[in-house]
Amino acid sequence: ALVRLTAGLATTVSDVIVIASAFSGGLLVHGPRGRDLYPMRKMDEVWDFTTAIYRQYTHSRFRQGLIRAKKNGYLFKEDNGNFRLSDLGKKRLWQLLPPFKQAGPWDGTLWLIIYDIPESKRQARDQLRNWLFSIGCRLVQKSVWVSVRDPRAWLTPEIQRYRLTGLVVVACLGRDGVIGEEKPTAFISRVFKTKALERRYRVWMDAVIRTPDDLRGKHALRFFRILRDDPTLPPELLPSSWVGDQARKLFDTSVRPYVKELMLLLDEVY
């Protein structure tokens, strides 16, 4: 249910609380008797996602999530008894919902990240994989990743953080570098799965267009889920009239106006 409600962005109740708080302006308000919690806006003004969460997690389950979120430092309790997203909660929101990254120009080089991490460091290896994906790298084959940007400045602190010094190698292919017999554009399309990403954007755009204006806010999380999987490739490596750019414009004009509280929080975090 958590995955369905949040389009796969949250897998814990604590993270659901963070997202629900963000959609209501970062504030959860006590009811008149201090028993119920509801968003800052009136329930009939809150769109389907938030409504579904509060219906499903009313009382015990929702409060358990609230306690966990508070214990994790994501919320703090105000003097009036209401709960608000803390700075750590806003940071967690940034981790759950990706920023609107814009790709800069490409210098024509590809970079390989290669590692040989023993099974005894499996957890660190998995964390490194997730981190590489989050910064736009993609898996070429087992233990070999490719990046269209120089990853060294970002990678060095992570190697130290996960204690993987000497186990990770970064190689620059140069402007004339090739991998196998594929043309660079075909290689990029295959490894970064741009066609599948394009289909997801088109399905999302069709859903938004078919939805009445005042209900389009419910498509925000699905957009962020696609955005999180988007490696944000430079324009030189994307098809002309890239549908991802069209989707961003549609979000700004047709969805953003209905999730103003969320976007204000994200603008503050970013």
Side-chain angles (χ1 to χ4, degrees):
L2 297 181
V3 173
R4 178 180 56 80
L5 282 173
T6 64
L9 290 167
T11 56
T12 68
V13 178
S14 180
D15 285 342
V16 170
I17 299 297
V18 170
I19 293 177
S21 301
F23 272 102
S24 62
L27 180 66
L28 297 175
V29 182
H30 267 95
R33 298 183 181 179
R35 294 183 304 183
D36 300 325
L37 286 163
Y38 52 88
M40 182 170 60
R41 293 186 296 168
K42 295 179 180 178
M43 280 301 298
D44 58 357
E45 296 175 353
V46 178
W47 58 277
D48 294 349
F49 165 72
T50 308
T51 302
I53 286 178
Y54 280 86
R55 285 175 179 169
Q56 182 158 348
Y57 292 95
T58 295
H59 304 312
S60 61
R61 290 187 67 190
F62 186 81
R63 285 187 172 276
Q64 288 174 8
L66 181 73
I67 292 171
R68 291 179 192 173
K70 188 174 182 295
K71 184 177 294 186
N72 290 336
Y74 298 154
L75 298 173
F76 68 91
K77 194 171 185 178
E78 298 181 318
D79 292 339
N80 59 9
N82 298 328
F83 291 88
R84 187 177 293 276
L85 278 180
S86 65
D87 289 341
L88 187 61
K90 294 175 183 177
K91 182 178 180 180
R92 181 57 183 161
L93 180 66
W94 176 83
Q95 294 172 333
L96 295 169
L97 305 184
F100 280 68
K101 300 172 291 184
Q102 292 291 345
W106 186 46
D107 64 4
T109 60
L110 293 176
W111 296 78
L112 293 181
I113 300 98
I114 306 166
Y115 52 74
D116 185 13
I117 302 173
E119 190 65 20
S120 60
K121 291 181 175 290
R122 180 177 181 179
Q123 184 176 3
R125 184 182 62 202
D126 291 343
Q127 291 172 328
L128 179 64
R129 286 173 177 168
N130 293 336
W131 181 81
L132 287 171
F133 188 91
S134 72
I135 65 169
C137 302
R138 291 298 181 266
L139 189 67
V140 180
Q141 60 185 48
K142 185 178 180 180
S143 302
V144 180
W145 293 70
V146 65
S147 173
V148 299
R149 305 173 186 86
D150 184 349
R152 290 175 296 181
W154 313 323
L155 190 56
T156 299
E158 297 302 314
I159 291 175
Q160 295 171 349
R161 174 186 175 189
Y162 298 127
R163 299 180 181 179
L164 299 174
T165 301
L167 300 176
V168 182
V169 175
V170 178
C172 178
L173 294 182
R175 291 180 177 273
D176 299 322
V178 294
I179 300 178
E181 299 178 352
E182 281 183 296
K183 293 181 179 179
T185 52
F187 171 78
I188 292 296
S189 178
R190 176 176 64 83
V191 173
F192 286 84
K193 301 179 180 178
T194 56
K195 291 183 179 179
L197 192 62
E198 180 177 8
R199 287 194 295 271
R200 291 174 66 188
Y201 273 127
R202 291 194 182 281
V203 169
W204 179 84
M205 292 172 66
D206 289 343
V208 173
I209 292 170
R210 292 196 305 267
T211 301
D213 290 356
D214 59 341
L215 296 178
R216 288 180 173 180
K218 69 180 182 179
H219 295 295
L221 285 186
R222 182 67 61 183
F223 176 78
F224 280 111
R225 184 64 179 87
I226 301 172
L227 196 64
R228 193 167 75 176
D229 292 341
D230 189 337
T232 320
L233 294 173
E236 298 93 329
L237 297 175
L238 291 168
S240 58
S241 302
W242 172 234
V243 70
D245 294 334
Q246 300 171 35
R248 288 172 186 243
K249 291 179 181 178
L250 182 62
F251 179 90
D252 283 339
T253 58
S254 300
V255 178
R256 180 187 286 266
Y258 300 101
V259 288
K260 291 179 180 178
E261 290 86 353
L262 171 67
M263 298 312 297
L264 286 173
L265 277 175
L266 290 181
D267 289 343
E268 179 184 338
V269 174
Y270 299 148

